Amino acid sequence: MKLLLVEDSERLRSTLQHGLVAAGFVVDAAADGVMAKGFLDTYEYDLVTLDLMLPRMDGMAVLRGLARLRTRPRVLVLSARDQVSDRIEALNAGADDYLVKPFSFDELVARLRALARRPEEAHMPILECGPLRIDTRSQSAFVADEPLSLTPREFALLGLLMRHRGRVFSRHDILERLAGSDSTASEGSVEVLVFGLRRKLSDAGLEDIVKTRRGAGYLIP
């Protein structure tokens, strides 16, 4: 899951980014509202953690601006504002959840994972394509009930293509979804990733599930 972390405290931002990456998220970090808007205008995110008291553009303005995006991420507000009126204002402006500082990091991760299941996975925790099945809750894959061993990035790619069956993802699209904006990975690494996933699927008896649209990208029909 790709996440944008918006937090003006350098110390907290660094701590959260390190912890969220360790928890399996792909994380970009913004120190103020204008920087956050720039990220959101450029990249697609599944999740946003958003402080409200930000320099240059406050969190409420960032939150209200999400309505213009083609793909709207789920938003968890992280704020020291603990009044009920603050929570109501943020939720009415489009926030999906609200967590008051200080907070438990484990609770933050649990809430983010719960939010990540809402958009496309809440009603489809199990995704299937013929004998291929993935369980998005346990991050596991099976072919005809036999476990399929995938790396975290291979699973993320397979899940992306299965959640959006019929949609073509270019190498650039895949790189944006599976790597942070500061990643040194190249589009060539996507070819390697697709090759490795296809080889494992082929070894499990599944040929040609991941299709190539020449000059466009990859998809699962």
Side-chain angles (χ1 to χ4, degrees):
M1 285 291 164
K2 190 166 185 178
L3 180 148
L4 177 62
L5 167 65
V6 189
E7 170 59 54
D8 66 326
S9 166
E10 182 177 359
R11 182 176 180 181
L12 180 56
R13 186 172 65 251
S14 177
T15 299
L16 288 177
Q17 185 170 14
H18 179 79
L20 290 168
V21 168
F25 296 91
V26 176
V27 181
D28 286 337
D32 59 57
V34 172
M35 187 181 297
K37 182 180 181 297
F39 273 116
L40 290 163
D41 287 345
T42 306
Y43 305 106
E44 287 188 7
Y45 294 93
D46 302 294
L47 299 164
V48 176
T49 61
L50 179 65
D51 189 12
L52 294 181
M53 295 181 286
L54 296 169
R56 298 212 289 169
M57 177 188 292
D58 67 26
M60 292 302 299
V62 174
L63 188 57
R64 293 189 177 100
L66 294 177
R68 74 185 187 282
L69 298 180
R70 181 183 64 179
T71 302
R72 187 191 181 285
R74 295 285 178 171
V75 181
L76 172 61
V77 169
L78 290 175
S79 178
R81 297 180 181 175
D82 60 356
Q83 299 299 307
V84 173
S85 58
D86 295 319
R87 301 186 195 200
I88 291 173
E89 182 183 11
L91 292 169
N92 284 340
D96 299 283
D97 200 356
Y98 195 109
L99 190 58
V100 175
K101 298 175 182 179
F103 53 87
S104 159
F105 179 76
D106 289 341
E107 181 181 1
L108 170 63
V109 170
R111 290 194 185 208
L112 287 172
R113 287 177 174 161
L115 285 180
R117 290 193 294 268
R118 282 189 193 177
E120 296 154 339
E121 299 173 9
H123 302 294
M124 294 190 300
I126 306 296
L127 302 174
E128 297 181 309
C129 180
L132 175 63
R133 184 177 84 256
I134 67 173
D135 187 330
T136 60
R137 295 164 300 189
S138 62
Q139 299 283 290
S140 53
F142 304 87
V143 175
D145 295 326
E146 290 296 322
L148 180 64
S149 179
L150 300 175
T151 67
R153 191 155 287 188
E154 287 169 344
F155 184 89
L157 173 60
L158 183 60
L160 176 67
L161 297 178
M162 289 184 71
R163 283 195 300 272
H164 301 279
R165 288 185 63 178
R167 174 177 169 183
V168 178
F169 286 87
S170 69
R171 288 178 296 174
H172 179 73
D173 292 336
I174 292 170
L175 193 61
E176 280 195 356
R177 296 298 294 265
L178 302 189
S181 63
D182 59 350
S183 171
T184 57
S186 67
E187 291 187 12
S189 67
V190 174
E191 293 183 3
V192 175
L193 180 63
V194 172
F195 176 82
L197 176 61
R198 280 174 164 162
R199 184 182 60 190
K200 290 183 178 181
L201 291 169
S202 178
D203 290 345
L206 296 178
E207 299 281 353
D208 298 326
I209 283 193
V210 178
K211 305 286 188 181
T212 299
R213 289 278 176 84
R214 191 170 299 278
Y218 307 99
L219 77 156
I220 293 180

